[in-house]
Amino acid sequence: MDYKIVEKSPFARIARMVLKSRNVAMVLGKSIHLSGVDRETFLEDKGWVEHELCHIRQFQEHGYVRFLWLYLKESYRVGYYNNKYEVEAREAGNKHKRHQMAAKKEAGEVKPSGLPLPADVKKKV
């Protein structure tokens, strides 16, 4: 897939402020705009890259102006998180993460996360 990456994008900076996020990647057409993250760090996160590539496919499928309109209308209607285009892109990113985790599990590389147990799980003493 043909795309370009724009670091320190003013568009992504605005999105970062609106979303109150430390870093943002956003797609406009065939360009991935970054703010708060550099190109190398972004490219290391394959799930994040897959998420943004899904948005590029969405732009190609619907056309530039039409997709922007559909995306904004959907965000207004159901919010950013429930926007069907975001849901689809999250799923694309998560597919990569699930595949990566399965490969690690087969190789015996999965280790406990060290995260605390949920409150409803009793610790074995």
Side-chain angles (χ1 to χ4, degrees):
M1 178 177 292
D2 186 31
Y3 66 94
K4 76 177 197 175
I5 295 177
V6 179
E7 291 183 276
K8 298 180 182 176
S9 165
F11 298 114
R13 179 155 174 73
I14 291 167
R16 196 172 109 194
M17 291 186 304
V18 169
L19 296 171
K20 297 180 175 121
S21 179
R22 289 181 28 202
N23 50 48
V24 164
M26 65 174 284
V27 170
L28 292 172
K30 292 183 179 182
S31 299
I32 300 172
H33 294 255
L34 305 176
S35 179
V37 62
D38 62 39
R39 172 190 200 94
E40 291 76 29
T41 304
F42 169 73
L43 290 172
E44 287 173 5
D45 188 332
K46 301 301 182 196
W48 197 4
V49 172
E50 287 300 321
H51 176 105
E52 301 308 330
L53 291 177
C54 180
H55 286 313
I56 290 174
R57 285 189 297 276
Q58 291 166 342
F59 265 99
Q60 291 173 340
E61 180 180 323
H62 298 289
Y64 193 95
V65 173
R66 183 166 184 258
F67 178 67
L68 283 176
W69 169 250
L70 292 171
Y71 184 94
L72 292 172
K73 187 170 84 169
E74 180 76 2
S75 290
Y76 178 77
R77 191 173 69 79
V78 298
Y80 170 78
Y81 189 79
N82 294 315
N83 179 323
K84 65 183 178 184
Y85 303 107
E86 281 302 322
V87 171
E88 180 184 3
R90 274 196 310 276
E91 182 61 28
N94 287 335
K95 280 181 187 174
H96 172 78
K97 290 177 183 176
R98 283 194 303 274
H99 173 71
Q100 188 177 34
M101 188 60 115
K104 284 183 178 183
K105 188 174 183 180
E106 286 178 16
E109 297 177 20
V110 175
K111 297 182 176 101
S113 67
L115 295 174
L117 293 172
D120 62 342
V121 176
K122 294 182 180 178
K123 293 181 186 179
K124 293 179 183 177
V125 181

